[in-house]
Amino acid sequence: MIEIMGVVNVTPDSFSDGGEHADPDDAVAHGLALRDAGATILDVGGESTRPGAQPVGSEEERRRVLPVVERLAAAGAVVSIDTYRADVAADAVRAGASIVNDVSGGLADDGMLAAVAATEATLVIGHWRGPSADMYARASYDDIVAETTDELAARTAAAGEAGIPAGRLVLDPGIGFAKAGERNWELLRGLERIVRIGPPVLVGTSRKRFLAGAIGDDASRDRRDLATAVTSVLAQQAGAWGVRVHDVAATRDALAVLDAWEGAR
């Protein structure tokens, strides 16, 4: 079964669960519950990256995430820090994070690659074309699979030049980031081409708006979680290393069914 990265948002404004776990105690309890439900990695984020979201600044981001990272790591969890800021990433690794999940792939902060290279952490390189506030203004592609693949390959090369070995890299095609509606499905259909770049691939579709295009614009959160679980199965079949989800139990069960099916075959 692939890695299941559970989302721990320590934010008041994330698109699907903003404010639910903004208190550190609540965030830690939620993270441990996700681990109990089957998450192998806990991804702690202190700034929303939903479309149109505004940045909060390094000081506030650190205030939100560092106590949560430290406590989850002390509890034995594998912790990822969801940040595009080099200073936050470095502090989070010192607090116990072993993965830096940068949705910008090192483009938002030119110190990120060097900061991660100076640690032993793994870097998740997200495909990115600009900040959340105006990402859709950059969502123009002639061939979304080819362009995303080429841009991720370029960031992989840049990480290597900065001193991060290939064994410490993961690629994320950035579903929903500067990609609208049907283009996300088109990219997912080409996921095997991204897998062929080399590093492991993480897929994050959880509860995202494009899912509603398949199941109905009025789809509830529970229905989007079911849709997410289906995409998790398809991601594993396409060769993904991991999936990033809010509802860990649904994805765990869907992947277990896939494993049983393939074992029977």
Side-chain angles (χ1 to χ4, degrees), residues 206-220:
S206 190
R207 296 179 180 170
K208 290 185 177 177
R209 183 183 305 170
F210 82 101
L211 294 171
I215 61 176
D217 290 337
D218 61 345
S220 66

Side-chain angles (χ1 to χ4, degrees), residues 8-32:
V8 183
N9 283 325
V10 195
T11 59
D13 60 344
S14 291
F15 78 96
S16 74
D17 60 356
E20 290 184 13
H21 313 295
D23 177 80
D25 290 340
D26 291 340
V28 170
H30 179 60
L32 295 177

